[in-house]
Amino acid sequence: MGLIAKIREHLPLSLSLSAQGQTVLSVLLFSTLLWLSLILALRFCLKLLLSYHRWMFELHGRISTKTKVWATLVRLLSSRKPLLYSYQTSLPHLPVPSIKDTLERVSDWWEEYVYLRSRSPIMVNSNYYGMDFLYVTPTSTQAARAGNTITALFLYRRKSRIPGTVIPLCAAQCERMFNTTRTPGEETDVLQHWQDSEFVAVYHRGRYFRLWVYRAGRLLSPREIQYQIQRILDDPSPPSPGEDKLGALTAGNRTPWAQMRKQFFSSGVNKRSLDCIEKAAFFVTLDDQEEGMMGENPSVNLDRYAKSLLHGKCYDRWFDKSFSVVVYKNGKNGLNAEHSWADAPIVAHLWEFTLATDAFHLGYTADGNCKGEIEHSLPPPQRLSWDIPLQVSESLAVAQALADDVDCHVFPFREFGKGRIKKMKLSPDSFVQLALQLAYYRDRGTFCLTYEASMTRLFREGRTETVRSSSNESCAFVLALEAGEDREHCHKLLRKAAEKHQNLYRLAMTGSGIDRHLFCLYVVSKYLGVESPFLKEVLSEPWRLSTSQTPVQQMELFDLVNHPEFISLGGGFGPVADDGYGVSYIIMGEEMINFHVSCKHSCTETDSHKFGSQISQAMMDLMTLLNPDFKEATKANPDKQS
């Protein structure tokens, strides 16, 4: 089209190129501009395509022609094996729905959304935990399990090697996964993120260490990291004065911690040691306890394991770190994650990769040690030094009272899983949420505002939105069932409530939820100094039932057919309301759902164990309603219940 000739005409005379040289340079410039134009055009087209979300609302097996064309075009414009950040620049921004649409779907609500402005402890109130495998521990050697776990986490940090998801999701939260710390402020906390760190901070029996995991640009082998961890375990030196309980500062109220940090950790040896913890890739606790589903009372021990990961001893974790890995004396592991930088699915993706890489790819020798060679000239881990004139007793007392008040119950539901629920042509998540509504009504004799977390990562920098699981339809179903109305009517109401829940979930995921919109209106009203009685009223009610499903995102990493014992327990969190429940659940494979229930001892009306039993019974009652033969089949197979 004569473009190359036009470029040649406008080349500066000062270049002093031959005619052939001018032609070559013009061709290069034209090719580069053409390539950039194509890239931008493709990215723009992909962004337009990814703004289409009606595919989520279509019934299985009844896909419209429009959606089929959309899926074909997305496949054509996408790479065959997308990586974690492949779609990042092509995702649309989260839309602002119209106020009219929001008000049509509104009900009383409450949410403690601003993590960083909260002045109460983040331990229990905000941080959450993830557990190890339920039935197996790959090795009983503490140092070896730490070696493989740390190695797997650093392999995950090489982002270019992490596969993306089938559905394009925003990966912005992954950017602050490592080398990130929440630092306290007197009015608001701040998230600080550093460039890739080559060391981790380790806590063992009251001492803090810096452990380098890279040497001359090379990641140490799992066996070398085990060797270094064993050096820490064998170190007989005692903690320096005040060092052992220093972590309690991160577990107590935020303002006192901010004041002490400014006064005692702004310079000198304390600042250098604190920098080592805050700039570390992540935090590791070598716990001297044994945890897991073990012993003569595995159920009680499982609950203790959950509490240990949620709060520990209140001073042996660093709750400000983006995440802290805990490795127990018997080889069991787990993690505690700070909430402000990312939501649970991000950490779950990391932890799935870590568990699978540890057990199936890195592996262990016959005697339970890590594989690989050891360079015995490695310098030993560095003890961190402190000069601590302060007392942490106030922060520790606040944290200890909070930890003692938490009641946790973890149990695997084995009677059936998503396989049987799907055969009934119901969404497994809707089924579980309706079971929770039924269980809560039986527990308290009333209904409550129910929070279910939904992601909005179909949009760039999207986080979460609220699914209001307690709806008019769910209440009508529960009341009819409890009133003993006929089965056909209850069955119809159950399906109507499940359909309503699934539609609410789809609306939340596709940017048409209401709670984030109302929250933004509230923030703007405060900024403008405008009093809104409506917003003030809707912000006054607590979420007495806060729920979340932990999604299994990389099932291909776990061969549950040949290795059914390698089942993850998922994770959990503390109750949002003082008189309510926190319920987390993970749907594992086709035949199991693991539940994590939390509440507070100080509330006489809540009991996590009682509520857990009611959840199990509600699950059974819903399945029996859908399939009356199920009850008889369960009686004929008592081994499965045990």
Side-chain angles (χ1 to χ4, degrees):
M1 294 183 290
L3 290 175
I4 294 175
K6 284 189 175 295
I7 293 173
R8 182 177 174 181
E9 289 175 7
H10 289 83
L11 288 176
L13 297 175
S14 58
L15 290 177
S16 302
L17 294 173
S18 64
Q20 186 177 4
Q22 291 178 1
T23 301
V24 170
L25 181 58
S26 300
V27 169
L28 285 173
L29 288 171
F30 172 77
S31 302
T32 301
L33 291 171
L34 179 62
W35 179 73
L36 287 172
S37 300
L38 286 172
I39 291 293
L40 292 172
L42 286 171
R43 186 175 292 173
F44 177 75
C45 291
L46 190 57
K47 179 173 284 192
L48 289 178
L49 287 169
L50 295 180
S51 299
Y52 174 76
H53 297 124
R54 296 307 304 172
W55 57 272
M56 293 190 66
F57 296 87
E58 297 190 351
L59 298 175
H60 291 291
R62 298 183 185 177
I63 302 174
S64 66
T65 303
K66 184 177 181 180
T67 296
K68 289 178 180 177
V69 172
W70 169 81
T72 302
L73 290 173
V74 170
R75 279 195 293 267
L76 288 173
L77 295 179
S78 306
S79 58
R80 292 185 179 180
K81 294 183 179 180
L83 298 175
L84 190 63
Y85 286 89
S86 294
Y87 295 108
Q88 190 64 15
T89 56
S90 300
L91 289 173
H93 289 283
L94 190 66
V96 177
S98 69
I99 293 179
K100 179 183 176 182
D101 289 343
T102 293
L103 292 178
E104 285 177 354
R105 292 189 292 268
V106 72
S107 63
D108 292 343
W109 71 292
W110 166 259
E111 180 185 4
E112 295 179 1
Y113 179 77
V114 183
Y115 299 108
L116 297 176
R117 283 195 174 272
S118 173
R119 300 295 82 203
S120 60
I122 60 175
M123 183 198 79
V124 175
N125 292 327
S126 179
N127 286 29
Y128 53 95
Y129 65 87
M131 282 184 161
D132 196 1
F133 296 116
L134 174 61
Y135 298 116
V136 298
T137 307
T139 178
S140 60
T141 304
Q142 184 178 20
R145 191 73 196 280
N148 266 13
T149 301
I150 293 171
T151 300
L153 288 165
F154 273 94
L155 291 176
Y156 187 95
R157 196 173 71 170
R158 298 175 182 175
K159 295 186 179 77
S160 60
R161 296 181 58 182
I162 303 300
T165 52
V166 176
I167 300 172
L169 298 176
C170 177
Q173 294 178 55
C174 301
E175 295 171 3
R176 295 183 295 184
M177 185 176 289
F178 296 90
N179 334 304
T180 299
T181 295
R182 173 175 177 163
T183 57
E186 295 195 24
E187 294 184 2
T188 183
D189 292 354
V190 176
L191 276 174
Q192 293 198 74
H193 175 71
W194 292 271
Q195 293 301 314
D196 285 355
S197 173
E198 297 188 343
F199 62 89
V200 296
V202 181
Y203 178 93
H204 176 245
R205 290 188 178 175
R207 296 92 42 85
Y208 289 88
F209 296 83
R210 174 160 62 176
L211 170 60
W212 292 92
V213 294
Y214 278 84
R215 183 171 173 82
R218 173 184 69 87
L219 178 64
L220 301 184
S221 71
R223 188 70 182 87
E224 287 174 322
I225 297 177
Q226 176 187 346
Y227 173 71
Q228 295 290 72
I229 291 290
Q230 192 62 53
R231 282 176 149 180
I232 294 174
L233 293 172
D234 295 339
D235 187 332
S237 61
S240 60
E243 180 182 16
D244 57 338
K245 294 180 172 60
L246 188 63
L249 291 171
T250 70
N253 290 317
R254 304 304 292 173
T255 300
W257 170 211
Q259 293 167 346
M260 291 183 184
R261 188 178 190 273
K262 183 178 181 180
Q263 183 176 356
F264 298 108
F265 297 90
S266 295
S267 62
V269 64
N270 288 344
K271 184 181 187 305
R272 290 193 295 272
S273 293
L274 183 62
D275 281 348
C276 287
I277 294 174
E278 294 186 337
K279 295 180 180 180
F282 50 89
F283 192 81
V284 179
T285 293
L286 301 174
D287 203 299
D288 53 6
Q289 302 293 319
E290 295 186 356
E291 298 293 352
M293 191 173 73
M294 58 187 185
E296 297 180 358
N297 199 336
S299 177
V300 172
N301 288 330
L302 204 55
D303 297 344
R304 188 183 72 179
Y305 176 28
K307 279 180 66 68
S308 174
L309 288 173
L310 185 61
H311 54 68
K313 297 173 184 174
C314 301
Y315 57 80
D316 55 350
R317 317 281 189 256
W318 200 267
F319 295 102
D320 287 355
K321 285 299 290 180
S322 53
F323 66 91
S324 298
V325 175
V326 184
V327 184
Y328 294 97
K329 189 176 180 180
N330 60 342
K332 214 70 183 168
N333 72 4
L335 61 73
N336 180 287
E338 199 277 317
H339 208 328
S340 64
W341 65 275
D343 303 306
I346 301 296
V347 177
H349 194 276
L350 164 74
W351 196 236
E352 286 172 9
F353 177 91
T354 302
L355 291 178
T357 302
D358 168 25
F360 301 120
H361 299 286
L362 298 176
Y364 298 89
T365 61
D367 57 355
N369 289 311
C370 295
K371 298 176 181 178
E373 301 298 322
I374 302 177
E375 182 183 328
H376 290 282
S377 62
L378 289 171
Q382 174 190 354
R383 265 292 301 271
L384 301 185
S385 301
W386 307 91
D387 179 15
I388 305 173
L390 76 159
Q391 293 291 325
V392 299
S393 54
E394 181 182 341
S395 294
L396 182 57
V398 170
Q400 194 64 61
L402 182 59
D404 292 342
D405 196 22
V406 176
D407 180 24
C408 292
H409 182 43
V410 180
F411 64 96
F413 180 83
R414 303 184 181 92
E415 273 61 42
F416 58 86
K418 71 174 182 181
R420 185 177 288 273
I421 298 172
K422 283 188 171 182
K423 285 181 180 178
M424 299 294 107
K425 297 184 178 180
L426 277 181
S427 156
D429 185 67
S430 296
F431 184 95
V432 173
Q433 285 293 327
L434 287 172
L436 292 176
Q437 291 300 310
L438 178 58
Y440 188 88
Y441 184 81
R442 289 172 173 174
D443 183 66
R444 303 292 289 272
T446 186
F447 299 105
C448 71
L449 284 176
T450 304
Y451 177 102
E452 181 187 6
S454 165
M455 68 168 187
T456 55
R457 290 173 59 211
L458 289 169
F459 303 95
R460 191 168 182 178
E461 298 181 6
R463 292 277 308 241
T464 62
E465 178 57 277
T466 305
V467 179
R468 298 168 170 274
S469 302
S470 182
S471 63
N472 292 334
E473 290 79 1
S474 68
C475 293
F477 160 68
V478 170
L479 290 173
L481 186 68
E482 292 300 276
E485 297 188 20
D486 66 273
R487 177 183 171 274
E488 186 176 346
H489 180 60
C490 291
H491 189 172
K492 183 179 179 181
L493 290 176
L494 168 60
R495 291 197 175 275
K496 186 178 179 181
E499 184 180 341
K500 173 68 173 183
H501 176 268
Q502 197 166 11
N503 191 55
L504 288 173
Y505 204 102
R506 289 164 174 162
L507 287 169
M509 283 189 67
T510 53
S512 297
I514 62 175
D515 287 284
R516 299 301 178 265
H517 188 195
L518 286 174
F519 175 74
C520 289
L521 291 174
Y522 172 75
V523 171
V524 172
S525 73
K526 286 294 184 183
Y527 177 76
L528 296 175
V530 177
E531 283 296 321
S532 170
F534 167 73
L535 290 174
K536 188 175 181 179
E537 181 181 349
V538 299
L539 283 168
S540 64
E541 291 294 324
W543 300 104
R544 289 193 173 89
L545 186 55
S546 181
T547 72
S548 177
Q549 180 190 165
T550 304
V552 180
Q553 304 164 78
Q554 304 167 92
M555 186 57 78
E556 69 278 3
L557 299 179
F558 302 91
D559 184 4
L560 295 183
V561 176
N562 297 315
H563 299 284
E565 69 278 13
F566 283 90
I567 288 177
S568 171
L569 264 169
F573 52 89
V576 172
D578 291 338
D579 58 348
Y581 292 104
V583 181
S584 174
Y585 52 96
I586 180 171
I587 300 173
M588 282 303 302
E590 298 294 312
E591 299 183 352
M592 179 182 285
I593 302 174
N594 294 325
F595 286 91
H596 300 248
V597 182
S598 66
C599 63
K600 292 191 174 182
H601 290 295
S602 55
C603 178
T604 58
E605 297 181 346
T606 57
D607 183 320
S608 67
H609 294 76
K610 178 187 173 185
F611 192 54
S613 298
Q614 288 169 330
I615 292 172
S616 296
Q617 187 59 54
M619 295 278 288
M620 297 291 286
D621 290 347
L622 261 61
M623 184 54 69
T624 303
L625 176 64
L626 291 167
N627 180 14
D629 297 332
F630 171 72
K631 197 169 186 178
E632 297 302 320
T634 305
K635 290 179 180 178
N637 188 14
D639 291 339
K640 188 165 186 177
Q641 292 185 48
S642 63

